[in-house]
Amino acid sequence: MAAAVGIVSSYPCLNSSPSPSKYSKYQSFHPPCRLVCYGGGSELPPPVTPDFKFALHDALDSSGVDTTHAREARQNFMSQIKGLSSIEREVSISINRRVDLANTAISISAEDFALMSQSSLPLPVDPFIERLFDLAMEFCKTNKVLRASPEAFLDSLYNFLYVKKGFHRSNMRSRLEPHPLYLHAVLTYQSGSAYMLALIYSEILKVLRLWSLLDFDCEIFFPHDRYGLPRGYHKQKSAESDHPHILTVQTLLEEILKNVKETFWPFQDDQTKSLFLRAVHAVLCTDRSSVVEERGFHLESAKSSQRRLDRRTLNSLHLGDTSLALSACERLILLGFDPKELRDYSVLLYHCGLYEQSLQYLKLYQDRKGSSLLKQASNELSTLEDDAVEKLMMRLNLISMEEGWSKPPHSGKNSSK
């Protein structure tokens, strides 16, 4: 508890009084009505999304943690992505009008803030949305090139955002300093991931379009290196090589959540392995026959997952945060971008002692893998992961034969030993 409060209090913006409204002002920040022509008739129907029964919020409630604010933020996230069609997901963020990206990103911040802080007050979301509007307003007031050539206009916007306002890129993924991952903190510290900077850039463009101050086709060039900054360019003068640098709605939301998931994944020991393989390796280390052979970091990671979920503490930040990793997995599953998220979610549930739900999601992953286009060319990593899936499934099936889906030996009162 103390560690969680310490992290939250390091953000000066989070110690202010929250706005009384809850997501109500977002409607005024919708993108302008710029139609995107897809051609060929009517739009594709939205993909069918099953009614997932996620475990995190209920598990925290049963442990005495109030998840009211986390649930409200999750509901807002779901309302934004609900019914997104396959075509709408692949629209560039610079012309997107289906999803309020600022609203969606701030709901990710709000849920994780609620989980980290356990505060009785929600994240004050409205002031951060207003900051985006204020950035556009300040740019308009201080720049005299609004009616200049597209190149001069975009150069001025680049200098305003990255020089005058001081926004800069941070590639840091630290559980101790997670501010580059969250929109509210990026707006406070002017330091964030390339994806967050691209989101802020796109929101400024939307306001400028709304005010009819952007009268040319502007696209955002998203850098794939470690140092570049997102910037606008005149689409009509673009080259074919620019196309891979267009950032879509789906990719933006995926990457924001994947960054959170990777940062707070509870098993951080071997960076050469995938997240899933690290977690399954920790499962094997909890087996009594192998405990004698492998102790230390792996075993401690496995034990601490259940403790942190039960007690909702961040007493071992170097081991990640199970609740935030679970929350990221659940939202990635809702986005529906990769069936492997079902698999990763399953292994986290296993470590939390939620075996029945773990088995359900692992079976769902296998069903999706067998019926989708997920099948890929076999390589060493996919072979290792498939083998790990089989081992985890075998272990879960054995546990299911026991009456009551009992928890592992390291759960409950003995978990601290």
Side-chain angles (χ1 to χ4, degrees):
M1 176 80 73
V5 174
I7 288 179
V8 174
S9 63
S10 68
Y11 298 143
C13 59
L14 301 185
N15 297 324
S16 58
S17 300
S19 168
S21 85
K22 298 185 177 181
Y23 306 100
S24 61
K25 294 184 181 180
Y26 286 150
Q27 301 303 319
S28 64
F29 206 75
H30 275 308
C33 297
R34 179 186 175 189
L35 298 178
V36 181
C37 297
Y38 301 115
S42 60
E43 183 182 321
L44 293 176
V48 177
T49 303
D51 183 18
F52 293 108
K53 295 182 179 179
F54 293 127
L56 175 60
H57 293 160
D58 288 342
L60 292 175
D61 281 338
S62 66
S63 298
V65 176
D66 185 359
T67 61
T68 300
H69 300 317
R71 289 178 185 272
E72 183 179 80
R74 176 70 64 85
Q75 190 61 40
N76 185 64
F77 175 84
M78 293 172 61
S79 69
Q80 286 298 317
I81 66 170
K82 182 179 180 181
L84 268 178
S85 72
S86 299
I87 288 180
E88 289 167 336
R89 292 167 185 265
E90 296 307 313
V91 169
S92 166
I93 63 170
S94 65
I95 59 174
N96 154 66
R97 65 184 299 270
R98 173 62 177 81
V99 181
D100 187 338
L101 293 174
N103 184 327
T104 309
I106 210 70
S107 70
I108 294 173
S109 296
E111 179 171 350
D112 288 5
F113 170 79
L115 294 176
M116 281 192 286
S117 68
Q118 300 181 53
S119 172
S120 60
L121 301 176
L123 180 73
V125 296
D126 289 338
F128 296 107
I129 295 297
E130 290 166 0
R131 287 190 192 185
L132 291 169
F133 186 88
D134 291 342
L135 280 173
M137 177 71 76
E138 184 178 348
F139 172 71
C140 293
K141 288 181 177 180
T142 59
N143 285 271
K144 301 178 181 180
V145 295
L146 296 178
R147 297 300 180 183
S149 67
E151 290 75 17
F153 178 90
L154 294 173
D155 284 344
S156 180
L157 179 55
Y158 182 94
N159 289 328
F160 169 78
L161 189 61
Y162 299 125
V163 179
K164 179 177 180 179
K165 303 306 295 183
F167 282 88
H168 58 280
R169 181 171 173 179
S170 172
N171 295 313
M172 180 184 298
R173 292 185 184 179
S174 168
R175 292 160 296 285
L176 297 174
E177 295 291 340
H179 68 265
L181 306 176
Y182 297 107
L183 179 59
H184 70 285
V186 175
L187 288 169
T188 300
Y189 292 106
Q190 292 84 47
S191 173
S193 68
Y195 294 98
M196 282 298 171
L197 296 180
L199 170 58
I200 291 171
Y201 197 107
S202 71
E203 292 299 310
I204 294 176
L205 291 182
K206 288 175 186 177
V207 175
L208 296 177
R209 283 199 182 97
L210 180 64
W211 294 338
S212 301
L213 297 175
L214 191 64
D215 55 1
F216 62 93
D217 193 1
C218 179
E219 185 55 81
I220 298 175
F221 182 94
F222 181 81
H224 292 302
D225 58 26
R226 291 181 57 82
Y227 305 104
L229 296 168
R231 64 178 301 160
Y233 65 93
H234 194 185
K235 186 70 178 291
Q236 293 182 357
K237 297 182 180 180
S238 64
E240 187 174 349
S241 60
D242 294 330
H243 294 172
H245 293 272
I246 295 177
L247 188 60
T248 66
V249 169
Q250 180 78 6
T251 299
L252 174 68
L253 296 178
E254 286 173 15
E255 293 299 330
I256 289 174
L257 288 169
K258 283 170 63 178
N259 285 343
V260 172
K261 173 187 170 185
E262 292 167 7
T263 298
F264 292 105
W265 192 254
F267 310 97
Q268 297 284 336
D269 56 307
D270 189 349
Q271 299 295 319
T272 65
K273 295 180 180 179
S274 67
L275 302 182
F276 178 69
L277 287 178
R278 292 180 226 164
V280 173
H281 184 65
V283 168
L284 301 180
C285 287
T286 63
D287 183 81
R288 293 188 177 186
S289 64
S290 62
V291 166
V292 175
E293 300 177 6
E294 297 194 50
R295 292 183 179 271
F297 193 93
H298 302 293
L299 185 57
E300 181 58 28
S301 295
K303 288 181 177 180
S304 63
S305 294
Q306 177 66 43
R307 291 202 301 264
R308 285 194 298 276
L309 186 65
D310 282 345
R311 303 174 185 176
R312 228 356 271 144
T313 62
L314 296 178
N315 56 346
S316 299
L317 280 171
H318 67 287
L319 297 176
D321 186 285
T322 306
S323 294
L324 295 180
L326 281 167
S327 181
C329 281
E330 290 179 353
R331 289 171 292 191
L332 282 165
I333 290 171
L334 289 170
L335 276 176
F337 100 99
D338 189 344
K340 289 182 180 179
E341 294 301 332
L342 298 164
R343 176 200 69 185
D344 292 0
Y345 185 57
S346 170
V347 74
L348 285 183
L349 292 175
Y350 179 98
H351 281 290
C352 295
L354 302 174
Y355 299 131
E356 186 172 7
Q357 294 96 320
S358 176
L359 181 59
Q360 290 172 352
Y361 277 95
L362 196 60
K363 287 181 176 179
L364 183 56
Y365 161 71
Q366 290 187 319
D367 291 343
R368 292 283 183 88
K369 181 181 178 182
S371 61
S372 72
L373 300 177
L374 181 64
K375 299 179 181 179
Q376 301 173 350
S378 178
N379 54 47
E380 183 178 359
L381 176 60
S382 64
T383 300
L384 289 172
E385 290 183 333
D386 289 343
D387 182 60
V389 167
E390 293 303 319
K391 290 180 179 179
L392 183 60
M393 179 65 77
M394 182 183 303
R395 192 172 290 251
L396 284 166
N397 282 326
L398 288 173
I399 295 173
S400 70
M401 297 177 187
E402 301 178 7
E403 183 177 359
W405 292 87
S406 60
K407 289 188 175 184
H410 62 266
S411 66
K413 295 182 179 180
N414 297 325
S415 64
S416 59
K417 297 182 179 180

